[in-house]
């Protein structure tokens, strides 16, 4: 899968980004986006994931992880990334809720948790 240079990369599914969004989208390191309802956070995060995956800023086999509070938000973000990226790139993107992410950690490290604190299967995290 040929990569796009950061300078040549353009958003997909929208016309363009405002200057501050371009700056944050291209910066290295983690990004925390805080804004009110309807401000475009989900779309920005989908564009950021596409940028990281398509330019090689997140080189394979590394993954991009997004964590949301609500299931619908996690699913919406994952769907947008699938719409914007090629399949191999979109498969490197994971969008989970805090609960699902926490459960995945507990499941992965269950044997390392002291027996007195270890949940018994089946269990759920609420």
């Amino acid at each position: 899968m040929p990569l796009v240079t950061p300078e040549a990369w353009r958003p997909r599914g929208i016309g363009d980004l405002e200057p501050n969004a371009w700056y944050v989208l291209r910066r290295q390191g983690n990004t925390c986006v805080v804004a009110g309802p309807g401000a475009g956070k989900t779309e920005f995060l989908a564009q950021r994931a596409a940028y990281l995956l398509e330019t090689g800023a997140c080189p394979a086999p590394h993954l991009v992880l997004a964590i949301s509070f609500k299931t619908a938000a996690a699913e919406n973000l994952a769907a947008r990334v699938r719409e914007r990226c090629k399949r191999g790139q979109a498969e490197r993107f994971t969008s989970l809720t805090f609960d699902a992410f926490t459960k995945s950690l507990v499941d992965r490290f269950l044997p390392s948790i002291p027996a007195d604190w270890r949940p018994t299967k089946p269990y759920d995290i609420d």
Side-chain angles (χ1 to χ4, degrees), residues 11-32:
R12 292 194 188 170
I14 61 171
D16 203 355
L17 296 169
E18 65 176 28
N20 286 336
W22 270 109
Y23 170 77
V24 173
L25 183 130
R26 289 182 169 145
R27 70 179 287 279
Q28 292 186 4
N30 298 321
T31 301
C32 178

Side-chain angles (χ1 to χ4, degrees), residues 69-119:
F69 285 106
K70 296 185 179 183
T71 302
E75 291 170 353
N76 184 357
L77 181 53
R80 289 184 194 213
V81 172
R82 284 192 304 272
E83 290 171 4
R84 285 154 180 74
C85 293
K86 294 178 181 165
R87 183 176 180 180
Q89 293 166 332
E91 289 172 350
R92 293 176 38 223
F93 180 78
T94 302
S95 183
L96 300 170
T97 62
F98 279 98
D99 290 350
F101 178 68
T102 302
K103 186 171 185 318
S104 75
L105 290 175
V106 172
D107 289 345
R108 187 176 314 150
F109 297 106
L110 193 64
S112 302
I113 299 173
D116 292 348
W117 297 358
R118 190 178 307 151

